[in-house]
Amino acid sequence: MNGIVTDYERQVFAEEFSGRVPRKIFDSHVHIVLRRSYPADRGTESIDYLAPHGGEFSVQRFFEVYEELLPGVEMSLAGFGMPAMHVDRSDAADFGTDNERVFGLRLLSAYDTVEQIEADIRKHRLAGVKPYANMALKTPGREVELLDFFTPEQLEMLNRLKLIAVVHIPRAMRLEDPLNRKQMKYLCEKYPDATFVFAHIGRAYYQRCATKYVDEFVEFPNAYWDTAMINHEGVLRYTFDHFPAERILFGTDAPISFIRGKSVEINHQYAYVMPENYDFGTTLIDTTGKIRYVPFLYEQLRSVLALDLPRRTLEDFFFGSAHRLYTTTVERIHGK
Ligand SMILES: [Zn+2]
């Protein structure tokens, strides 16, 4: 990958991951970002973590980078654009899904029409949608809530077509927030034929956030978690101990997960500790030059391998569960 992976990282892979991670991995949380989907006056230049990839992140680049980071592993992905109102969301969904190794979701704004979303899903043979707080309905004077992410008509369509929504819940308290959990349950209950994959285990990057709250979603068969950017062994352990493993999906937030650093819990909060400054979340920049870092992806792998899950569970987590979910979803709507 144009020298992005260092010799040191090759050594880490050989010592810690080779032969331990499954031969097939499905990354269920990938941002495919194409420059052409952005307006001329608001391009991708300001997205700093795209710089190592030439200002965009294509499907081809995904495979190239993983070939370097996880040599010999056969990768699949579920991808979607980087959420923003100024992105051409129809165009961003056109990145070459084949529904074998490459599955896709359409960015969804609450301001998009159901007709347009459905047309894009059919045209690009997509598996569902990716809403986000920055594309939600805005009510002056009130913070965005989860239910503002969609209109009721959009939710009816998701349910009717039995689609997947990868949902990054809003608000500072994340999974600890009672209103968030109430609205998450409302979605799962009211739209039982849609699948809701709550990203980052409901943004539970520190222990207290996951503890007991993940249990509340066991009873909803259409509630899933993805583990993107979670490298907290305790959070993962709790989740695997208290939630059906087949509804926990591996995902990374690539290309963000290719940056070097580690997410660290600090007093019921967390920060990304990194040797270089990138603009996402709360970051602590280490200027000592004394610590060697590896990509967040490697830290994620370490934390899940530390759980010593049974081989079968590990293979399902890394590949089988997401592959099954995405394959059945696209076959149902688009046929074989
Ligand atoms: Zn993401």
Side-chain angles (χ1 to χ4, degrees):
M1 181 184 57
N2 310 338
I4 281 187
V5 178
T6 63
D7 287 344
Y8 172 66
E9 283 154 359
R10 275 183 254 280
Q11 190 187 324
V12 168
F13 176 82
E15 281 172 10
E16 298 184 39
F17 306 135
S18 184
R20 294 189 70 205
V21 297
R23 212 177 47 75
K24 287 205 261 186
I25 293 184
F26 190 119
D27 187 339
S28 69
H29 190 137
V30 176
H31 293 277
I32 299 296
V33 189
L34 304 176
R35 195 184 285 107
R36 57 147 220 251
S37 309
Y38 286 71
D41 59 333
R42 280 187 87 178
T44 59
E45 299 77 24
S46 63
I47 309 178
D48 54 10
Y49 47 81
L50 293 177
H53 311 287
E56 60 179 359
F57 190 68
S58 62
V59 165
Q60 187 195 337
R61 183 68 175 172
F62 168 90
F63 287 117
E64 284 169 12
V65 176
Y66 263 113
E67 181 58 39
E68 287 237 349
L69 282 169
L70 302 181
V73 174
E74 185 184 305
M75 294 300 303
S76 301
L77 75 113
F80 34 83
M82 193 56 75
M85 280 310 281
H86 60 275
V87 172
D88 180 335
R89 292 180 286 282
S90 295
D91 184 70
D94 183 11
F95 56 79
T97 56
D98 60 17
N99 291 337
E100 289 189 10
R101 302 270 296 276
V102 182
F103 297 80
L105 304 170
R106 185 196 187 276
L107 293 175
L108 177 145
S109 165
Y111 295 98
D112 295 337
T113 67
V114 167
E115 291 71 27
Q116 186 61 60
I117 298 165
E118 184 169 345
D120 288 337
I121 284 170
R122 293 192 184 281
K123 183 172 172 203
H124 304 305
R125 301 174 66 83
L126 305 175
V129 297
K130 168 70 178 170
Y132 203 77
N134 63 3
M135 305 182 294
L137 287 172
K138 305 268 185 293
T139 306
R142 178 167 71 67
E143 194 184 351
V144 165
E145 298 174 9
L146 177 54
L147 292 183
D148 299 324
F149 283 27
F150 316 85
T151 64
E153 295 73 29
Q154 291 172 343
L155 286 164
E156 291 297 342
M157 179 208 53
L158 294 186
N159 197 56
R160 171 170 53 86
L161 301 179
K162 301 183 167 66
L163 297 174
I164 299 165
V166 174
V167 182
H168 176 117
I169 61 171
R171 295 157 64 89
M173 295 291 285
R174 46 202 77 214
L175 199 55
E176 286 188 90
D177 187 318
L179 182 68
N180 272 345
R181 295 202 306 283
K182 186 175 159 198
Q183 297 190 347
M184 290 161 75
K185 290 170 195 168
Y186 171 86
L187 289 176
C188 292
E189 215 158 31
K190 177 123 199 241
Y191 305 100
D193 292 331
T195 298
F196 296 94
V197 180
F198 296 107
H200 323 285
I201 315 184
R203 295 171 60 224
Y205 299 106
Y206 50 93
Q207 189 70 50
R208 194 171 71 181
C209 218
T211 305
K212 79 179 178 273
Y213 302 123
V214 298
D215 307 39
E216 295 180 16
F217 295 88
V218 172
E219 66 178 284
F220 302 101
N222 57 340
Y224 284 62
W225 309 112
D226 84 33
T227 62
M229 290 297 276
I230 303 274
N231 59 45
H232 192 304
E233 192 183 322
V235 166
L236 289 171
R237 190 179 302 282
Y238 188 90
T239 307
F240 274 97
D241 282 348
H242 293 84
F243 197 81
E246 63 272 17
R247 290 194 268 134
I248 308 171
L249 309 180
F250 177 72
T252 73
D253 232 344
I256 293 172
S257 54
F258 300 148
I259 291 166
R260 294 184 180 88
K262 187 177 193 307
S263 165
V264 175
E265 168 156 355
I266 304 167
N267 187 30
H268 307 307
Q269 303 149 89
Y270 79 102
Y272 299 114
V273 181
M274 304 189 288
E276 286 178 282
N277 197 4
Y278 283 98
D279 180 24
F280 56 88
T282 307
T283 55
L284 293 177
I285 308 308
D286 173 13
T287 56
T288 64
K290 291 188 176 151
I291 307 274
R292 275 204 284 197
Y293 292 83
V294 292
F296 282 99
L297 167 71
Y298 280 11
E299 298 289 3
Q300 269 194 248
L301 297 181
R302 279 178 175 151
S303 60
V304 73
L305 291 175
L307 305 183
D308 264 325
L309 296 169
R311 190 72 197 171
R312 181 67 205 268
T313 308
L314 202 68
E315 286 174 356
D316 274 350
F317 166 66
F318 274 112
F319 181 79
S321 302
H323 188 256
R324 233 173 347 260
L325 173 64
Y326 274 88
T327 303
T328 52
T329 300
V330 295
E331 282 180 358
R332 216 160 34 208
I333 170 167
H334 306 298
K336 291 216 185 199

